[in-house]
Amino acid sequence: MSPTPLSLLCALLLTLPLAIVFTITTDITTTIPPLPTVRHQHPIIKPPRKTTTHSQKPITKPTFPPPPPPFVDNDNDNDDDDTSLFQLASRVNPNPSPTGAPKKLAFMFLTTGPLPLAPLWELYFNRTKRHNLYNIYIHADPNLKQHDLLYQGVFTNRTIPSKPTRRHTPSLAAAHKRLLAHALLHDPLNYMFALVSPTCIPLHSFDFTYKTLIKSSKSFIEILENEGGAWGRYAARGDTAMLPEVEFGKFRIGSQFSVLTRQHATVAVNDTRIWSKFKLPCLQENVYRCYPEENYFPTLLSMVDRVGCVPATLTFVDWKGRHDGHPHTFHGSEVGPELIRTIRGRRPRYGDEEINGSDVSVRKRGDPFLFARKFGSDTVGKLMDIANDVIL
């Protein structure tokens, strides 16, 4: 049966939309341009991450000299007067060596207990970038236990082999000599040796202190000739006990706290002649007139090298109104910027001002106080409050 005209028309109408869609799709496809070709395109390379290699130097903390080693006397196990130690120390080079290397300051803390002002000293030493210019030594009561807990931070492992000390005996002067000996043996670059009390505070920054001391060729030690009570001190062991080595006319008085040059430190540890008199015990009835630590070093250096000394201590102390042998102790209520500035403004006493020996130029000196005492343990908080802005 052949298709009728009507069925052919219907079939034509059904295929017409497909033809239109095909035509439109073909036109659109042919009019979209191809993606452009990117010529000379290089891959994006990210910079490599920085990694530590063996050729790079790691960042390390400042290095400090090793702690002073314990002194071992193989020749005499019962060396009560430290003879072997002093003999060994007396053989060191009296000049800092090697020549041209930076000289150092030796801080020698003489204490019978903890260091209550340690936080201030910790800040004092840590504020400088020149950690290789100082050493710390501590002479502490050997009966104290757990030194690693008492002395921390910059004071860790700084104690030297020590012996008990007691006022009105030669033990304090002997401890000073012991500190000098260990500091001389420990570091050949130690140039100036400062004795420090547990109640001492610094009055300036370490850098200021270093510049002040390192340029000096002289020791700073108070040497007083015409002091009241001199005869009582001289005769404390007996009227003639000091003869013939020390005549009364050569007997001197001065502060226990001094700063000695390396040459004078070697003189002190090498001395046995003058020390043989000062290490004698005082008579019981004269014990309260017995202050070897304030007489031995001023007398020795006055006799050996008076011109090589500035006859003044750089440690301030307030004796005003005191007659009991103990200077004024500052407490927290007294501490403030004004106190520090007042002390800084004071001038050291240069021996007996009218008889300064051959060193006439001493009258024109105006050395700054570098340390001050006595500050009680209750002052540490106030001192830390003003440390950065005023003291250091």
Side-chain angles (χ1 to χ4, degrees):
M1 179 176 173
S2 59
T4 62
L6 180 59
S7 62
L8 291 173
L9 178 62
C10 290
L12 180 63
L13 292 174
L14 289 172
T15 57
L16 182 61
L18 292 175
I20 294 172
V21 170
F22 177 79
T23 303
I24 294 173
T25 304
T26 302
D27 291 341
I28 293 174
T29 303
T30 55
T31 57
I32 297 177
L35 291 174
T37 302
V38 180
R39 297 181 180 180
H40 308 295
Q41 183 175 357
H42 299 284
I44 299 175
I45 303 176
K46 296 182 179 180
R49 294 180 179 179
K50 293 183 179 180
T51 57
T52 302
T53 64
H54 293 291
S55 61
Q56 291 177 326
K57 294 183 179 180
I59 299 174
T60 58
K61 294 182 179 180
T63 57
F64 299 91
F71 173 74
V72 178
D73 181 10
N74 295 322
D75 299 325
N76 187 356
D77 293 332
N78 190 28
D79 191 7
D80 292 335
D81 59 358
D82 302 293
T83 300
S84 299
L85 171 65
F86 295 157
Q87 287 178 347
L88 188 61
S90 68
R91 301 188 192 115
V92 303
N93 189 342
N95 299 307
S97 59
T99 304
K103 301 174 184 177
K104 300 182 182 181
L105 303 183
F107 291 82
M108 307 180 302
F109 288 80
L110 176 52
T111 181
T112 57
L115 299 175
L117 305 177
L120 179 61
W121 285 102
E122 184 90 21
L123 186 61
Y124 172 82
F125 288 116
N126 286 334
R127 277 285 299 269
T128 181
K129 297 180 180 178
R130 310 163 78 176
H131 294 283
N132 62 329
L133 298 182
Y134 67 83
N135 285 301
I136 298 172
Y137 307 91
I138 303 174
H139 188 289
D141 191 323
N143 296 317
L144 288 175
K145 304 300 181 183
Q146 296 180 314
H147 282 186
D148 57 333
L149 298 180
L150 285 177
Y151 310 118
Q152 299 182 4
V154 295
F155 298 102
T156 301
N157 295 327
R158 299 289 112 186
T159 54
I160 67 166
S162 308
K163 297 180 180 180
T165 57
R166 187 162 51 91
R167 208 165 185 235
H168 306 299
T169 72
S171 60
L172 288 169
H176 191 172
K177 285 170 68 82
R178 203 172 293 121
L179 280 162
L180 290 171
H182 280 280
L184 285 167
L185 290 168
H186 176 232
D187 196 329
L189 286 172
N190 282 336
Y191 174 64
M192 297 292 273
F193 301 74
L195 188 67
V196 185
S197 154
T199 64
C200 276
I201 68 165
L203 291 172
H204 301 272
S205 68
F206 171 83
D207 292 342
F208 179 93
T209 302
Y210 181 85
K211 291 176 183 178
T212 300
L213 293 178
I214 220 69
K215 68 183 180 182
S216 176
S217 60
K218 297 186 178 185
S219 294
F220 294 89
I221 177 169
E222 189 173 50
I223 301 176
L224 306 175
E225 182 176 351
N226 298 326
E227 282 295 282
W231 172 255
R233 292 188 178 210
Y234 177 82
R237 300 159 188 83
D239 290 356
T240 60
M242 302 294 285
L243 296 173
E245 286 79 6
V246 183
E247 300 173 359
F248 176 62
K250 296 180 179 179
F251 186 78
R252 298 291 183 267
I253 296 175
S255 169
Q256 175 186 3
F257 300 96
S258 60
V259 182
L260 303 185
T261 63
R262 186 175 182 87
Q263 289 188 340
H264 285 164
T266 58
V267 167
V269 299
N270 188 47
D271 169 59
T272 57
R273 181 170 173 268
I274 305 303
W275 179 237
S276 68
K277 296 300 181 178
F278 281 95
K279 73 177 183 180
L280 295 173
C282 295
L283 300 176
Q284 188 60 37
E285 61 267 27
N286 298 330
V287 68
Y288 292 106
R289 294 184 291 178
C290 190
Y291 300 96
E293 71 278 5
E294 296 180 357
N295 300 136
Y296 169 65
F297 286 94
T299 299
L300 172 67
L301 293 181
S302 177
M303 295 175 65
V304 174
D305 186 19
R306 172 64 184 78
V307 176
C309 300
V310 177
T313 177
L314 299 184
T315 299
F316 172 84
V317 67
D318 184 6
W319 286 105
K320 186 177 181 180
R322 307 295 298 190
H323 305 286
D324 59 354
H326 297 278
H328 174 70
T329 298
F330 295 100
H331 293 287
S333 59
E334 302 173 83
V335 174
E338 190 59 33
L339 175 64
I340 303 301
R341 295 188 184 106
T342 298
I343 295 175
R344 283 178 176 176
R346 300 287 294 273
R347 179 179 181 268
R349 176 186 179 183
Y350 292 93
D352 300 287
E353 296 282 355
E354 68 279 5
I355 52 168
N356 282 305
S358 59
D359 192 4
V360 181
S361 63
V362 76
R363 301 179 184 179
K364 301 178 181 179
R365 298 187 68 98
D367 300 287
F369 279 116
L370 299 178
F371 315 106
R373 57 184 292 268
K374 300 170 58 173
F375 283 77
S377 58
D378 63 326
T379 64
V380 66
K382 291 287 189 69
L383 290 168
M384 292 298 287
D385 288 342
I386 63 174
N388 288 321
D389 295 333
V390 179
I391 300 177
L392 307 178

